[in-house]
Amino acid sequence: MRKTLFRIGLLQSVFFCFGELYAQNKDSIKTAKIDEVVVTAYGVKKEKKSLGYSFQDVKGQTLVDARETNVTNALTGKVAGLQVVKGGFGPASSSRINIRGFNSFEGDSQPLIVVDGIPINNSAGVKGRSQDGAKNNDLWNPDTDMGNGLSDINPDDIETISVLKGGAASALYGARAGNGVILITTKSGKKKGGIGINYSTSLGFEKIFLKPDLQSSFARGSNGLPNLPSNLDNTTSWGPSIDGSDMKVYDNLKGFFKTGTNTQHTISFQESLGEGTSLYTSGNYLYDNSQIPNSKYERWNFMAKMNSIFGTQKRWTTDVKVQYISAKANNRPNGGLDGNTYGSVLLMPRNIDIREYREGMTQNNVTQRWITNNGINPYWAAYNKLNEDKKDRFLISGYLKYQFNDWLSADVRLGSDFYSLTANSKTWTGSRLNNSYNTSQEKFYENNYITSLNARKNDLIGKWGASLSIYGQMMETKTNAIYLSAPNLTSPNFFNINNSVGNPEIREVILNKKINSVFASAEINYDGYWFINATARNDWSSTLTVENRSYFYPSISTSLVITDMLAKLNGTKSNFLSFAKVRASYAITGNSLEPYELYNTFEVKKDPNGNVTSDRKKILYDPNLRNEKLKTFEVGLDLRLFSRFSFDISYYNTKATDQLINLPMNPLSGYEKKKINAGGLQNQGVEIVFNTDIIKNSNFTWNTNVNFSQMTSRIDRIDGEVTKYSLGGFDDVSVFADVGRRYGAIYGSKFKRVEDVNNPYYGKLIVDGNGALQKETGLFYLGNQSPDALFGFTNSFVYKNFGLSFQIDGRIGGEFFSGSQLALQKAGLAKDTAPGGKRDNFVVDGVVAGTNGNYTPNTKEITQQNYWEVITAGNLGITEQNIYDATNIRLRNIQLSYNFPKAMFEKFVIKSAKVAFTANNVWMIYSKANGIDPESVFAISSNAVGFENFAFPTTRSYLFTITLGF
């Protein structure tokens, strides 16, 4: 033992000498926060060095500086292993969070969101409008994306966000935390100079970030000629050359989508109200006048939070918070292919100015003017295919703690997340669309009641310390919703459900779920450098049978702080290695059933004659279903060198079993699917976080933060001989969980090629007698939606009162299918349809099949139009053509700020002032998707995120902010 310590001591001496050679003056060296205290599960504060699992913080000011309307988007690139997937367009659309990939075939795989110790709802995308929770992501007319729950939170109210990634980190939260936990701590009142009032206002402008690559050389028509009178419904751009004619080229995206404006006002008051009591209140108003004509979003946020420590010897602690959000959206954009304004504008021939079709279309009950009888004028759609929704949401929490003595305390925590959502949509007469009316009302609440008994004692036995917390929790969620639809109105434009041709459609949804839990967390530590933590949780879920409703989630983790151990055993410290910790953890978490998925029930409907009917659902349920299980193993290393460089390296391996899936059945059985426990999924990866102050002195600081994550996923099994399970898709394009492949295998049609490896033409494309490419029969593996790696790189500079930061981030690997590119190719608008601005006939590099397996080189010329018509035939064409590499690297944002010297305000009411400029989505540094943003997907509420089809483009925004302190 002594020899080992002696050798380590020599090694430390070498480090010490090396460190002295490196060191600058002490003022420039950042002190490592070895004993930093962080907030973990259920608000428990722990020393960061004691954690045996991966844990990453994001400061609230970082989110504020990003100036993203949806705080979800501000997390992009800031946390290793965290991916944000964007679905819609504008501030009211959803964004989805995945940590360490997908862990479930059917579930949304999003982390649990916890605000001030209370879980909240973060459902994203479209909402299920039937009792079984099925969501309409139809290719032609999907439901409207209603935004995700986290988007309601005001970034200015956030103090910190902590991301718990591994199973051991989130095991205390039970079934709903199998995909990780995002802990949000809101601000509390603090004593500040002046009267404690802070006011900020911002003005923002937004434009389309990326536009598809289009050709500008050919006009509307076919086969190089203008449309004949008999073919005026043709809107493709295979017509005559624009060059040398009197025709002009128009940027219709720029002509239709205006510059969006965004204004925000935030006022907050925080103060210490005497000894032990603090108050924080805030109000925020956001108004976004979208780029889409006649589309708006408005949100109010109010919050009041009071903390108090009182009573004899300050034994009582209270924390009460009330938060109210009122959000209103007008005319959220429609996805799909029917009435999608973005698709209509994008496919306009380049020689037609879309603004010529605006006049008269901006009022209701008018007949549209358009280039064809069958199409939809996007101006008419913007003002006559309308929707609006209003949501009122309350987040209420209360916390009461009593400290019995210096080592024992008890507390109780209550919380409620409640919202009421009303929505309606109206389609006026004047187009081929039905004159229709829909209205709905949803009410949701989640109540949580949590109590705990906590004991902590250092030096309990010698140098051993210990802590123990025992919890009890009752959780209940309930949804009451009714959806009413009149698909076709009897009296035109009289928007009343009873004005329906035939029976109006009525859907009522009632969902109720309860989980009762007991759980505990225990920790022992030796001399402050070796920590062992274990958790155990048992849930009883109302959605499982009595025999299976009880399930157990354990975890164990350990952390060994090597530098502290050596310092206490050997008495020496190294200037080179200022901190070193190894950690390891193992945990079991999982997911349970959604409500009413145990027994087969019936749906009550009406037939065309008004008679009440009862139809059996098409899913066969099994009362013996069990909860999903997720087993996670993780090891990690934390290093800090020269008290300046910090490294956090993690390796994890996650295995998901007993997946709850809807396995397809033979329809002759009377059912379409059956609910079963099956499937196995394994994710493993490495995460690296690096942070350093490259320069730090009294005048100038340069901080760099880098995070990198690499992950591979593999489907181990489905069920029996079943090797593929559909995650989503349309026509020939399907996304599967495919045994032996990574999660999200993309299948589709491919080009016919010579398959005989012994043939001299092996791999060559096979063309038909007309020289056109051919489609191979069947579906084939074409790529995978999962990224190989994610990274983020942030640099922050502070020079005196000036601040500058920028973030570069991206994804490496993975593929996606683009329906937008296919539509542009079919219409003759894609840049590829006019190589070099010309449309000369050409010979496809391929072969022609002869007899007896012989092939001859192709010599048949083909026109560009005929070539692309074959490739894009049908709804989605030959899939292989439009599979794109999703790798992309972008300059995510730039922030420039100036803090006015406080000395300027010594004699004024204003005590501080700051001005800032922020730009988001500044520059796409690298992408191969021909102007389609790989972050955009067709349906955010589907696990098939490798499918894009006229997703509204992401935006570039510029924001100017003024902040005043009083």
Side-chain angles (χ1 to χ4, degrees), residues 799-843:
Y799 175 70
K800 295 185 178 180
N801 293 327
F802 289 94
L804 171 66
S805 70
F806 65 88
Q807 176 180 314
I808 297 173
D809 60 64
R811 68 174 279 175
I812 300 170
E815 290 81 29
F816 72 102
F817 172 82
S818 175
S820 300
Q821 288 289 2
L822 176 133
L824 290 171
Q825 294 159 5
K826 181 179 291 190
L829 281 167
K831 190 173 183 179
D832 291 342
T833 64
K838 298 180 181 179
R839 282 189 172 153
D840 299 331
N841 293 354
F842 69 104
V843 176

Side-chain angles (χ1 to χ4, degrees), residues 751-763:
F751 295 113
K752 185 176 287 189
R753 289 180 170 85
V754 178
E755 302 290 348
D756 183 0
V757 295
N758 298 316
N759 193 291
Y761 294 107
Y762 171 68

Side-chain angles (χ1 to χ4, degrees), residues 90 125 254 264 306-307 351 353 358 391 523 559 630 685 710 713 723 734 738 807 821 848 912 919 930 934:
K254 183 178 180 180
Q264 282 199 70
M306 179 175 285
N307 312 86
N351 64 309
D353 186 356
R358 185 178 190 276
K391 179 163 71 172
E523 178 185 278
S559 167
L630 195 65
Q710 180 274 332
S713 64
T723 60
S734 296
D738 184 13
Q807 176 180 314
Q821 288 289 2
V848 179
S912 64
N930 295 343

Side-chain angles (χ1 to χ4, degrees), residues 489-505:
L489 300 180
T490 302
S491 298
N493 302 326
F494 176 54
F495 297 104
N496 186 290
I497 289 298
N498 291 318
N499 183 33
S500 175
V501 175
N503 294 322
E505 296 178 3

Side-chain angles (χ1 to χ4, degrees), residues 447-503:
N447 292 335
N448 283 274
Y449 311 91
I450 307 164
T451 184
S452 69
L453 183 66
N454 311 284
R456 172 177 290 275
K457 189 76 171 176
N458 291 323
D459 302 324
L460 184 63
I461 301 175
K463 294 183 179 181
W464 289 93
S467 66
L468 175 66
S469 295
I470 301 173
Y471 299 84
Q473 179 177 0
M474 294 187 295
M475 185 279 291
E476 180 182 17
T477 66
K478 190 167 186 177
T479 300
N480 282 339
I482 187 166
Y483 305 95
L484 309 174
S485 176
N488 204 350
L489 300 180
T490 302
S491 298
N493 302 326
F494 176 54
F495 297 104
N496 186 290
I497 289 298
N498 291 318
N499 183 33
S500 175
V501 175
N503 294 322

Side-chain angles (χ1 to χ4, degrees), residues 510-529:
I510 301 174
L511 301 173
N512 195 7
K513 181 176 181 178
K514 294 183 179 181
I515 298 179
N516 294 333
S517 312
V518 292
F519 46 103
S521 172
E523 178 185 278
I524 59 173
N525 76 84
Y526 181 77
D527 205 12
Y529 62 76

Side-chain angles (χ1 to χ4, degrees), residues 524-708:
I524 59 173
N525 76 84
Y526 181 77
D527 205 12
Y529 62 76
W530 184 28
F531 304 85
I532 301 175
N533 188 281
T535 68
R537 177 172 177 131
N538 202 92
D539 287 350
W540 289 266
S541 174
S542 66
T543 62
L544 296 170
T545 59
V546 174
E547 294 79 12
N548 294 328
R549 68 176 46 166
S550 172
Y551 42 93
F552 180 65
Y553 293 138
S555 79
I556 186 168
S557 63
T558 183
S559 167
L560 177 63
V561 184
I562 299 173
T563 45
D564 285 2
M565 180 184 71
L566 295 177
K568 291 185 178 182
L569 295 179
N570 201 31
T572 60
K573 293 185 177 181
S574 166
N575 283 356
F576 171 71
L577 187 63
S578 51
F579 180 77
K581 182 184 84 171
V582 292
R583 50 185 167 81
S585 65
Y586 177 79
I588 299 177
T589 54
N591 294 305
S592 66
L593 277 172
E594 293 302 312
Y596 316 130
E597 294 188 340
L598 278 180
Y599 306 104
N600 288 88
T601 56
F602 292 81
E603 292 181 297
V604 178
K605 299 180 179 180
K606 282 191 175 183
D607 65 17
N609 297 319
N611 300 310
V612 177
T613 64
S614 183
D615 293 339
R616 185 173 59 188
K617 292 183 179 179
K618 300 301 182 183
I619 299 177
L620 176 61
Y621 292 120
D622 180 358
N624 297 314
L625 291 172
R626 306 176 304 277
N627 60 296
E628 293 183 2
K629 286 186 178 180
L630 195 65
K631 301 175 181 178
T632 303
F633 170 72
E634 179 182 331
V635 293
L637 174 66
D638 296 352
L639 294 175
R640 294 176 189 174
L641 309 179
F642 301 113
S643 298
R644 179 182 296 275
F645 303 97
S646 68
F647 298 85
D648 186 318
I649 304 171
S650 303
Y651 166 80
Y652 64 89
N653 189 315
T654 301
K655 294 182 179 180
T657 60
D658 288 337
Q659 296 277 298
L660 292 162
I661 62 175
N662 295 322
L663 196 67
M665 294 179 65
N666 187 332
L668 295 178
S669 66
Y671 297 95
E672 295 176 354
K673 301 175 182 179
K674 63 178 178 180
K675 196 81 169 185
I676 64 171
N677 281 112
L681 167 65
Q682 181 174 356
N683 293 332
Q684 59 181 336
V686 175
E687 296 170 348
I688 301 173
V689 179
F690 168 74
N691 185 78
T692 182
D693 283 339
I694 297 176
I695 300 174
K696 185 176 177 66
N697 56 46
S698 58
N699 288 326
F700 182 65
T701 299
W702 175 10
N703 175 266
T704 293
N705 184 280
V706 180
N707 68 78
F708 173 85

Side-chain angles (χ1 to χ4, degrees), residues 842-864:
F842 69 104
V843 176
V844 175
D845 183 14
V847 294
V848 179
T851 59
N852 300 322
N854 296 320
Y855 298 93
T856 57
N858 174 45
T859 58
K860 183 77 172 180
E861 282 193 345
I862 191 172
T863 67
Q864 288 285 343

